[in-house]
Amino acid sequence: MIITLAGCVSVKNRNIVRQLDQLGEDFQEHTGFYLMDPSTNEILVDFNGARYFTPASNTKIFTMYAALELLGESLPGLYYKQTGDSLIFWGSGDPAFLYPLLPQGGVFQWLSNSSKKLYYSPSNFYEDAFGPGWAWDDYNYTYSVERTPFPMYGNAFVLKKKAQEAYLDTNQPYFKRHVWLGDSTQEETVIVRDIGTNKTTYFPSGNMKAFEHEIPFRYDDHMITAMLSDTLKKEVGLVFRPIPEDHSAILSIPTDSALKVMMQESDNFIAEQLLLVCSGVLNDSLQTGSTIDHAKATFMKDMPDTPIWRDGSGLSRYNLFTPRSIVWLWQQMLVRHSKERLFPLLATGGKAGTIKNYYKADPPYIFGKTGTLSNNHALSGYLVAKSGRLLVFSFMNSNYTTESYPLKKRMEKILWEVREKY
């Protein structure tokens, strides 16, 4: 184990390192913790800070930084070209279109109001539905929706039923044709979509309770034009035309609106789509790797340790980052953007997002991003000490075999000590 204890004469530092060392022993895991003061660049604690860990949704910190660097105040909602009586449009990857968790931009109204014949072209999309290193059998869960050029409804549809009623309803009528009644009754309602199609089988329970279930849909180009036609109440055709150099763009929602939901609620769908949006801004093609390669070669090139970065959300088990690189990232964001802009976008201890039930204090002292996959948990961000000192930290844990709750409570104890003693 590589441990560096900055300022080793400090009793408070030694005590924190002893707790970190005990954490690894008790949970049979690998622990990394990096703490620094960004105003002085002083490294306060470095416990395995140069070791690589599975970041899980800490990957969204990288996605956020890329979006802040590459996108303007608003996301491009779609790209288009008008020719005669026709309007051809291309997806930008914008996640907002009819997604309930985000405000609505002007794209829907703009398409609805157009007097032109509408044609959708998917020719600028060069990406697989799932990212490298994703678990294939997660396809039926909404944390693993597909990546698409023109998302709709968050790339999922909702099936719901009221109590004591036998019939299903949906917010997206197009998908009624894909729902089948199963040939058995279950103790609890079960809804399963086939892996390669949108055929969805509903196995009802005998208790007649109300439910609402969200199911990712399987994207294809013809389905999107049919859904758009159904939603816009006008025909949308499908063409395969390359996006021209003189195309125009319709703006969608404020970039910070998407970042806030992504960071606070750890929304995988938004994260994946934002890397596609960034790619479209860079070179007109929607390809996750294009954004990642550009970021690593430009505004992330001075990162202490080269990141193994494969997707936008952190679903990939291939991602590997070091705690000190994540701290470097937070520090760069603080240099380029004010904390008044950044802090409201982040999960806030005791107040908002994935840590609203942890790290409670008044005023809040933790602003950051969690990351959780089975056997891996991380929390990184900004810590406001009791003295008013602003610190940056990354706390990463990999390969523990227990439930995550006791680990999180131990992390909370250590970070509270940092708050009190610095």
Side-chain angles (χ1 to χ4, degrees):
M1 178 179 292
I2 298 174
I3 301 173
T4 301
L5 178 54
C8 60
V9 296
S10 169
V11 173
K12 60 189 176 187
N13 283 1
R14 287 201 298 270
N15 185 50
I16 289 170
V17 168
R18 280 196 295 269
Q19 292 184 67
L20 292 166
D21 195 36
Q22 192 62 48
L23 189 71
E25 292 292 329
D26 291 347
F27 291 94
Q28 296 180 283
E29 60 150 4
H30 307 299
T31 298
F33 184 72
Y34 200 80
L35 178 72
M36 75 169 296
D37 185 331
S39 66
T40 63
N41 290 326
E42 180 186 3
I43 301 168
L44 303 173
V45 179
D46 179 351
F47 188 92
N48 292 329
R51 290 290 181 94
Y52 283 87
F53 292 81
T54 299
S57 283
N58 263 205
T59 304
K60 294 182 178 74
I61 304 165
F62 287 67
T63 300
M64 178 180 180
Y65 189 32
L68 289 171
E69 291 300 304
L70 296 173
L71 303 178
E73 293 185 1
S74 298
L75 303 180
L78 58 75
Y79 303 114
Y80 72 95
K81 175 69 176 177
Q82 297 190 73
T83 305
D85 64 350
S86 300
L87 187 154
I88 304 174
F89 62 94
W90 295 259
S92 68
D94 170 34
F97 192 80
L98 301 178
Y99 186 36
L101 297 186
L102 292 176
Q104 290 306 296
V107 174
F108 180 87
Q109 202 62 44
W110 185 79
L111 289 173
S112 296
N113 293 340
S114 176
S115 60
K116 304 284 186 178
K117 296 178 180 177
L118 300 180
Y119 296 93
Y120 165 65
S121 174
S123 65
N124 62 332
F125 184 60
Y126 298 92
E127 197 51 271
D128 295 326
F130 296 140
W134 290 16
W136 69 267
D137 54 346
D138 285 345
Y139 77 93
N140 206 44
Y141 299 97
T142 50
Y143 58 77
S144 188
V145 298
E146 296 186 7
R147 305 182 292 189
T148 66
F150 196 101
M152 295 181 65
Y153 305 109
N155 288 347
F157 63 100
V158 175
L159 291 179
K160 56 187 177 181
K161 183 181 77 65
K162 295 180 180 179
Q164 306 306 314
E165 288 191 1
Y167 297 101
L168 295 178
D169 195 8
T170 178
N171 293 347
Q172 299 91 0
Y174 172 85
F175 287 99
K176 287 183 178 180
R177 71 195 75 179
H178 294 292
V179 180
W180 298 70
L181 181 64
D183 57 3
S184 64
T185 300
Q186 306 293 317
E187 185 174 337
E188 295 292 336
T189 297
V190 175
I191 298 176
V192 180
R193 200 205 82 208
D194 288 358
I195 190 169
T197 72
N198 283 308
K199 180 183 177 182
T200 302
T201 306
Y202 162 53
F203 297 93
S205 68
N207 56 37
M208 298 297 288
K209 291 189 294 186
F211 72 83
E212 185 169 305
H213 193 87
E214 198 171 12
I215 305 103
F217 60 67
R218 181 76 178 90
Y219 169 88
D220 72 62
D221 301 327
H222 294 278
M223 185 191 79
I224 287 298
T225 56
M227 287 175 63
L228 282 168
S229 298
D230 189 58
T231 302
L232 296 170
K233 309 302 181 188
K234 59 169 63 176
E235 185 177 355
V236 178
L238 178 65
V239 296
F240 293 88
R241 299 280 181 87
I243 189 167
E245 291 186 5
D246 61 343
H247 66 268
S248 301
I250 291 295
L251 294 180
S252 178
I253 64 171
T255 300
D256 283 5
S257 296
L259 291 176
K260 183 175 182 177
V261 178
M262 178 185 78
M263 296 299 283
Q264 291 193 2
E265 305 305 324
S266 203
D267 191 298
N268 294 336
F269 161 68
I270 294 176
E272 295 300 333
Q273 294 300 142
L274 282 181
L275 284 193
L276 294 177
V277 175
C278 289
S279 174
V281 169
L282 284 170
N283 53 32
D284 295 337
S285 65
L286 307 184
Q287 192 169 23
T288 298
S290 177
T291 302
I292 291 173
D293 290 344
H294 175 82
K296 289 168 64 175
T298 55
F299 48 83
M300 293 184 187
K301 64 182 176 62
D302 295 325
M303 188 174 289
D305 307 293
T306 302
I308 310 301
W309 181 16
R310 302 300 300 275
D311 69 2
S313 63
L315 283 173
S316 177
R317 292 278 181 167
Y318 298 157
N319 294 320
L320 289 172
F321 306 145
T322 67
R324 69 181 182 182
S325 287
I326 292 176
V327 165
W328 180 90
L329 210 62
W330 285 119
Q331 185 184 21
Q332 294 303 305
M333 281 194 273
L334 197 59
V335 168
R336 296 169 181 260
H337 308 279
S338 70
K339 68 178 183 179
E340 287 74 24
R341 180 186 182 185
L342 293 174
F343 282 20
L345 303 179
L346 306 177
T348 304
K351 296 292 184 180
T354 54
I355 54 172
K356 64 183 176 183
N357 296 320
Y358 293 87
Y359 309 101
K360 296 179 180 179
D362 190 15
Y365 71 104
I366 297 288
F367 302 85
K369 182 73 196 75
T370 57
T372 305
L373 285 172
S374 55
N375 315 110
N376 297 273
H377 180 70
L379 174 65
S380 305
Y382 304 108
L383 186 152
V384 181
K386 198 171 183 179
S387 65
R389 191 178 184 185
L390 177 61
L391 306 175
V392 188
F393 74 95
S394 178
F395 203 152
M396 306 187 77
N397 303 274
S398 289
N399 299 341
Y400 57 84
T401 57
T402 67
E403 294 181 354
S404 63
Y405 177 77
L407 174 73
K408 292 175 182 177
K409 297 304 292 184
R410 193 81 68 87
M411 292 171 62
E412 188 172 29
K413 180 182 177 183
I414 292 170
L415 289 171
W416 181 263
E417 182 169 334
V418 172
R419 173 189 182 269
E420 294 293 300
K421 294 186 176 180
Y422 284 95

